[in-house]
Amino acid sequence: MAEETEKKYITNEELRKHNKSGDLWIAIQGKVYNVSDWIKTHPGGDTVILNLVGQDVTDAFIAFHPGTAWHHLDNLFTGYHIRDFQVSEVSRDYRRMAAEFRKLGLFENKGHVTLYTLAFVAAMFVGVLYGVLACTSVFAHQIAAALLGLLWIQSAYIGHDSGHYVVMSNKSYNRFAQLLSGNCLTGISIAWWKWTHNAHHLACNSLDYDPDLQHIPVFAVSTKFFNSLTSRFYDRKLTFDPVARFLISYQHFTYYPVMCFGRINLFIQTFILLFSKRKVPDRALNFAGILVFWTWFPLLVSCLPNWPERFFFVFTSFTVTALQHIQFTLNHFAADVYVGPPTGSDWFEKQAAGTIDISCRSYMDWFFGGLQFQLEHHLFPRLPRCHLRKVSPVVQELCKKHNLPYRSMSWFEANVLTINTLKTAAYQARDAANPVVKNLVWEALNTHG
């Protein structure tokens, strides 16, 4: 009893006041921590913390951090506890599930997926070189281009996995794998990916906080974008102007063609970040990796005999990667969306609402990189992809228990649903006299747009 009386307490309402620069507090399992200084060196970047300051972040902390991270919290403890600390039944079950997975060693047992994928990527790279340098037929060159596109897809999965957890024997090798698979082989900065992807995971399908849904003026998955929302991630207004209205009006037709050139946007976003004034971890290494890509790729293309072949080689390789860009959008475009910042108290609920799984046979897992189990990955981003299929039934049962959506559909069904979502918003955009949806019943029944 004496120990209890010595504890210092604050309420959740008081915690919410500590959400300004220089005064950033969070709560984890009822204990309050000051992260004002830690945010500057946080490995996951400052965005993920800034989006959740002033509230309980236990579920998000469990999802993103290994068990060793708990020891670092002691130096940040303020001495305060949350007086009105409560845990929902959903969160309680989620934490119990995470603890069980940890006891089973699932987070540490990574299998040999990375080794196999690296070997596959290396073999494909040799095949690309052979097709371009040793073959003279146009057909062989096109096969090499398609192989390069597949190489980029698989290499991106290695970069994705290594960004979430240590896929190699130590952190130094893991960083090397990130730079090799991301910057050097695909031309996409791992620093840019971690910056945007962490924000996406945390604010899954928030129209103004999740960068993966902010594609104005080309795409709008919800009519709420017609209000010219302000992106809290990019800190700029997503203006719904006449150009955006025109492009969005036909987005269900332009969706697949745009996906064929989605890689160009990633190249542009990489350079924008690396040349920005924003603090970028390992900026020099990221530049060096990008330089490697923009050295070998143009040289490879220049080895082709003429400009038409060079054009179609690049076009084909980019078009193949469209399969991956489409997959990423299928997982979220047609799911539920919301406006506003993420909250720490409904982590499981928001991930379930904002994701769509793609059902496939186990022999196709290599192709999807584990991301067909999108909800499972969002709930446990540190879980190696070789275990996602195993835990899927457990996640389904938990969703059923708490009456939460668990959407799993075929590739074809997901494409149809995504196109219908884009079409619905497109038809609304065409009504120049009705820039904002006025049919509140329609909007309520179509929460994703």
Side-chain angles (χ1 to χ4, degrees):
M1 291 296 292
E3 184 180 349
E4 278 297 316
T5 57
E6 290 175 3
K7 284 186 177 180
K8 296 185 296 182
Y9 290 95
I10 63 171
T11 63
N12 277 302
E13 183 177 354
E14 291 173 308
L15 176 64
R16 283 191 287 270
K17 298 176 182 178
H18 296 273
N19 62 352
K20 300 177 181 61
S21 179
D23 182 27
L24 306 175
W25 288 14
I26 60 173
I28 299 176
Q29 290 192 336
K31 299 177 70 174
V32 180
Y33 301 92
N34 186 339
V35 294
S36 303
D37 294 327
W38 169 240
I39 194 173
K40 301 171 185 176
T41 55
H42 182 234
D46 59 355
T47 302
V48 291
I49 294 181
L50 289 173
N51 285 349
L52 286 178
V53 290
Q55 54 182 309
D56 183 277
V57 300
T58 305
D59 290 343
F61 186 86
I62 290 173
F64 284 105
H65 298 84
T68 55
W70 291 89
H71 303 298
H72 298 289
L73 292 176
D74 293 339
N75 296 328
L76 308 176
F77 184 45
T78 62
Y80 288 102
H81 295 74
I82 299 298
R83 183 179 299 279
D84 48 347
F85 172 62
Q86 292 182 336
V87 182
S88 70
E89 285 302 314
V90 180
S91 290
R92 199 182 304 278
D93 284 344
Y94 170 69
R95 296 172 193 182
R96 188 180 297 116
M97 185 189 301
E100 185 63 28
F101 291 167
R102 190 174 295 109
K103 288 179 183 178
L104 293 173
L106 298 186
F107 293 102
E108 302 304 323
N109 180 10
K110 304 176 181 66
H112 301 291
V113 174
T114 301
L115 177 62
Y116 295 151
T117 307
L118 281 172
F120 188 32
V121 168
M124 286 190 289
F125 194 72
V126 171
V128 171
L129 294 178
Y130 180 83
V132 172
L133 303 177
C135 300
T136 57
S137 73
V138 174
F139 180 73
H141 293 160
Q142 285 298 290
I143 293 296
L147 200 58
L148 180 59
L150 186 59
L151 181 157
W152 282 336
I153 291 175
Q154 291 300 315
S155 188
Y157 289 144
I158 297 176
H160 173 268
D161 290 350
S162 64
H164 279 299
Y165 57 92
V166 178
V167 300
M168 309 299 281
S169 58
N170 59 56
K171 291 184 179 180
S172 296
Y173 289 148
N174 194 72
R175 181 175 298 180
F176 175 77
Q178 290 177 338
L179 292 171
L180 176 64
S181 61
N183 298 48
C184 298
L185 286 180
T186 69
I188 301 170
S189 168
I190 192 66
W192 170 83
W193 176 86
K194 291 178 74 173
W195 176 50
T196 59
H197 196 66
N198 285 337
H200 159 67
H201 265 264
L202 196 71
C204 180
N205 274 31
S206 167
L207 297 179
D208 47 344
Y209 280 80
D210 183 354
D212 282 15
L213 291 187
Q214 298 171 359
H215 302 295
I216 295 287
V218 182
F219 296 132
V221 298
S222 169
T223 54
K224 293 181 176 68
F225 277 119
F226 300 171
N227 294 322
S228 295
L229 296 175
T230 296
S231 169
R232 303 301 176 183
F233 180 82
Y234 293 111
D235 195 27
R236 61 179 174 83
K237 194 172 186 179
L238 303 173
T239 305
F240 184 68
D241 55 19
V243 173
R245 181 188 295 279
F246 173 78
L247 293 175
I248 292 169
S249 294
Y250 299 95
Q251 63 181 357
H252 50 305
F253 294 118
T254 62
Y255 172 67
Y256 293 113
V258 168
M259 291 295 107
C260 291
F261 299 97
R263 187 143 296 255
I264 297 176
N265 176 56
L266 302 187
F267 292 153
I268 294 172
Q269 294 299 323
T270 285
F271 282 113
I272 289 176
L273 176 64
L274 293 183
F275 282 104
S276 71
K277 296 180 180 179
R278 180 180 178 82
K279 183 180 179 181
V280 179
D282 300 319
R283 188 190 298 265
L285 283 175
N286 275 268
F287 264 120
I290 295 300
L291 182 61
V292 170
F293 173 82
W294 288 109
T295 299
W296 73 260
F297 181 54
L299 281 175
L300 180 68
V301 174
S302 69
C303 292
L304 293 166
N306 53 63
W307 281 108
E309 280 205 48
R310 292 166 188 162
F311 171 80
F312 282 108
F313 181 89
V314 173
F315 176 77
T316 300
S317 61
F318 282 11
T319 300
V320 170
T321 64
L323 291 170
Q324 190 172 61
H325 300 310
I326 291 170
Q327 177 193 350
F328 293 159
T329 57
L330 296 183
N331 289 141
H332 296 286
F333 269 23
D336 299 341
V337 301
Y338 66 99
V339 176
T343 53
S345 59
D346 59 358
W347 169 260
F348 195 111
E349 294 92 329
K350 284 287 174 58
Q351 306 303 328
T355 55
I356 295 175
D357 282 15
I358 306 298
S359 60
C360 71
R361 300 288 186 179
S362 59
Y363 62 78
M364 285 296 291
D365 287 354
W366 69 273
F367 178 77
F368 290 100
L371 299 184
Q372 74 274 29
F373 295 106
Q374 190 67 193
L375 174 55
E376 291 80 358
H377 170 62
H378 265 254
L379 291 174
F380 305 101
R382 292 186 54 258
L383 190 68
R385 62 170 119 150
C386 59
H387 300 307
L388 292 173
R389 184 174 288 275
K390 300 175 187 176
V391 306
S392 179
V394 182
V395 173
Q396 291 183 50
E397 283 300 316
L398 190 55
C399 287
K400 182 178 180 180
K401 175 182 177 181
H402 295 286
N403 197 28
L404 296 173
Y406 183 92
R407 286 165 289 205
S408 181
M409 56 191 69
S410 70
W411 174 271
F412 176 77
E413 291 170 332
N415 271 271
V416 171
L417 185 60
T418 297
I419 291 298
N420 285 339
T421 298
L422 295 174
K423 183 191 296 185
T424 299
Y427 286 167
Q428 290 291 324
R430 291 181 186 182
D431 186 357
N434 183 27
V436 180
V437 176
K438 294 180 180 178
N439 189 337
L440 298 181
V441 174
W442 182 93
E443 183 71 281
L445 293 175
N446 296 269
T447 58
H448 59 260

